[in-house]
Amino acid sequence: MIKKVAEAKKLQGIISPPGDKSISHRAALLNSISVGTAHVSNFCVGDDRSSMLGCLQSLGASITKHSNCPVSGSSECFEIKGEGHQGLSEPGDVLFAGNSGTTMRLISGLLASMDFYSVITGDDSLRNRPMRRITQPLAEMGAVIEGRNNGSLAPLSFRGGNLNGIEYDMPVASAQLKSSLLIAGIQAGGETVIHQPAESRDHTERMLMSMGGNLKSEGLTLKVEKSDLKAVNVNVPCDISGSAFWMVAGCCHPNASLRLENVGMNPTRTGVLEVLSSMNANIIIENERMEGGEPVADVTVESSDLVATEIAGDIIPRVVDELPVLSLAACFAKGTTVIADAEELRVKESDRISATVQSIYKLGGEIEETSDGMKITGSGLLNGASVESFGDHRIAMTNAIAGMIARGETIIEGAESASVSYPDFWDTIENIRS
Ligand code: S3P
């Protein structure tokens, strides 16, 4: 699908981005292995949601969609009835995680702990993403796992059960890896001790603790033991990663005022706000409150005179999904922005360093690729061009935001990728622009 996005005269409006994908996935998975009934509202939308829910339902989880939530009163929610791990059973066919790395890695933690045989695969992109990071420690815990390329690529097969806790030094600061091990750890004998190299999103830890999981967090070390989980209702905050596109649009467009409501403000996710603030962005954060164990707030973003910054080191895992769109912001910031220590971007849904550099270069931006990031010198001007999405939702949406700020018209090929996490994205563009 091709979308054409012309330069906007003005950006204005109130936006309610989709429910947070990371929190939704954890709410579905962990409630499926808890005891009791939970209602999850403002669940994320898009193809990744279908991937996670499809895998859980193939494992026998009872998940029903209601059009009126009896608990939160919202217009839609999912009811998940759990009977602990015993409620799940051997799937009759190969599980399909689609494009969703979170689905494959988190579900793998679960499959490793289940006393049955299962196979999980994904689309072309996911079958080429690194899985050794999960298969190796899960095998050390006792699961029998096979996969292509000596266990490093999907499809992955599992014969799980009878796990024992291990002490593990994570080689990368990945929340997907950490969560996979925590999910296996709550079914393993003894203690599972995980040392993280840096902080990454902590939604699994928060949700496990709210469900009564035996989990301790000491600095960057997590300790988990076998746990019986109790179902919890979750009202998912709006996704800060989906919000980031509008934040950058608001800062970079010369005539913009955008308000984002009910945005998740978990400190392990707010790197994008810290980076934009360091770039001198006009951002107002209001109505800070707690919802279901997660902080949320309303965020207003207005046209800004941005300055360059450096994005490197421990902040990277807290801003990892927002780096493509922040590179776009750097095109409108005075000076040279350096993004480093971000080699993980090369193994996301696409090689996001190469995809971002190619897109911004075609739009006339001054950008240079490095092995672990990029350098962008802000010129304050981009020119519409024909750009690709590389089958990656975040690249498609970054290019669309660029199209509203660049002179002339931008043609985005592969625009359908946005539906992986944000099916309403194109309608929202039409609603806020004039
Ligand atoms: C996610 C963690 C991140 C992120 C992904 C979602 C999660 O991946 O890029 O979009 O929900 O745990 P890594 O933790 O592997 O970096």
Side-chain angles (χ1 to χ4, degrees):
M1 177 171 97
I2 288 182
K3 282 276 182 188
K4 294 181 180 173
V5 179
E7 180 178 4
K9 289 196 190 74
K10 188 176 180 182
L11 300 180
Q12 190 169 30
I14 299 175
I15 305 171
S16 200
D20 187 278
K21 196 148 69 80
S22 297
I23 298 175
S24 303
H25 282 191
R26 288 152 172 84
L29 192 158
L30 295 176
N31 274 312
S32 295
I33 50 171
S34 298
V35 175
T37 300
H39 290 85
V40 183
S41 45
N42 199 32
F43 207 96
C44 69
V45 287
D47 304 337
D48 278 5
R49 137 166 149 181
S50 313
S51 300
M52 175 55 95
L53 295 182
C55 286
L56 291 170
Q57 284 168 327
S58 301
L59 288 162
S62 160
I63 304 177
T64 319
K65 191 166 145 186
H66 290 297
S67 46
N68 283 310
C69 183
V71 174
S72 68
S74 62
S75 58
E76 183 192 285
C77 76
F78 286 92
E79 182 184 82
I80 305 170
K81 284 187 183 157
E83 292 169 30
H85 286 78
Q86 301 85 293
L88 301 186
S89 53
E90 185 171 275
D93 203 346
V94 173
L95 303 175
F96 187 63
N99 190 245
S100 171
T102 309
T103 299
M104 182 166 282
R105 296 196 175 113
L106 269 58
I107 292 273
S108 290
L110 178 60
L111 299 178
S113 70
M114 300 301 298
D115 184 18
F116 53 59
Y117 174 72
S118 55
V119 182
I120 189 163
T121 192
D123 70 5
D124 278 358
S125 152
L126 187 52
R127 277 185 280 107
N128 285 299
R129 294 180 63 188
M131 293 298 149
R132 167 102 53 228
R133 58 181 64 181
I134 54 160
T135 56
Q136 190 203 317
L138 292 173
E140 275 177 41
M141 293 175 83
V144 180
I145 308 175
E146 303 267 12
R148 286 188 305 130
N149 201 20
N150 209 12
S152 63
L153 296 174
L156 301 173
S157 71
F158 294 80
R159 189 160 281 290
N162 282 325
L163 299 186
N164 284 308
I166 54 169
E167 178 155 5
Y168 192 66
D169 278 315
M170 287 172 48
V172 289
S174 157
Q176 294 179 352
L177 166 58
K178 163 174 71 176
S179 303
S180 187
L181 299 181
L182 289 173
I183 290 163
I186 52 166
Q187 265 292 89
E191 195 176 48
T192 300
V193 181
I194 304 166
H195 302 291
Q196 311 177 70
E199 200 176 28
S200 61
R201 63 194 70 190
D202 66 356
H203 308 300
T204 308
E205 296 91 303
R206 284 176 188 248
M207 209 172 285
L208 277 176
M209 284 186 195
S210 75
M211 293 174 148
N214 286 326
L215 175 72
K216 274 184 266 166
S217 161
E218 294 163 9
L220 290 174
T221 296
L222 297 167
K223 296 181 179 175
V224 68
E225 281 178 39
K226 208 175 181 93
S227 315
D228 293 324
L229 304 179
K230 288 188 297 293
V232 292
N233 295 325
V234 182
N235 190 5
V236 179
C238 294
D239 202 322
I240 192 166
S241 300
S243 308
F245 299 103
W246 313 116
M247 291 177 188
V248 169
C251 292
C252 297
H253 193 281
N255 187 6
S257 176
L258 296 173
R259 182 173 167 86
L260 300 152
E261 291 188 333
N262 199 28
V263 179
M265 299 291 282
N266 179 313
T268 61
R269 296 287 297 282
T270 47
V272 61
L273 288 169
E274 289 162 44
V275 170
L276 286 173
S277 298
S278 75
M279 295 174 84
N280 203 25
N282 277 329
I283 297 183
I284 302 160
I285 298 171
E286 291 165 303
N287 300 329
E288 290 182 70
R289 55 205 185 269
M290 288 300 283
E291 285 215 8
E294 292 273 352
V296 296
D298 303 327
V299 180
T300 304
V301 187
E302 292 180 349
S303 311
S304 312
D305 290 323
L306 298 181
V307 294
T309 191
E310 189 185 321
I311 315 173
D314 283 357
I315 195 169
I316 294 292
R318 299 196 298 115
V319 72
V320 68
D321 289 339
E322 292 72 66
L323 290 171
V325 78
L326 283 171
S327 320
L328 174 64
C331 296
F332 295 90
K334 199 160 179 266
T336 299
T337 293
V338 178
I339 301 177
D341 304 320
E343 48 280 283
E344 269 293 298
L345 284 189
R346 294 205 183 272
V347 292
K348 294 292 179 188
E349 286 84 328
S350 69
D351 174 343
R352 285 188 178 155
I353 295 180
S354 161
T356 303
V357 170
Q358 288 185 55
S359 304
I360 288 183
Y361 182 76
K362 280 193 177 167
L363 292 160
E366 247 183 81
I367 187 160
E368 188 191 320
E369 179 168 347
T370 61
S371 60
D372 64 348
M374 46 204 131
K375 290 184 186 150
I376 308 118
T377 301
S379 62
L381 193 72
L382 293 179
N383 288 307
S386 186
V387 285
E388 283 174 54
S389 304
F390 299 88
D392 186 328
H393 55 135
R394 299 205 194 278
I395 301 297
M397 292 189 276
T398 297
N399 284 332
I401 299 297
M404 292 200 293
I405 315 167
R407 280 201 310 210
E409 187 180 65
T410 297
I411 297 168
I412 298 132
E413 287 176 43
E416 69 281 357
S417 300
S419 68
V420 158
S421 62
Y422 205 152
D424 286 347
F425 179 79
W426 303 107
D427 290 342
T428 305
I429 283 202
E430 295 312 321
N431 293 341
I432 59 158
R433 61 172 295 147
S434 55

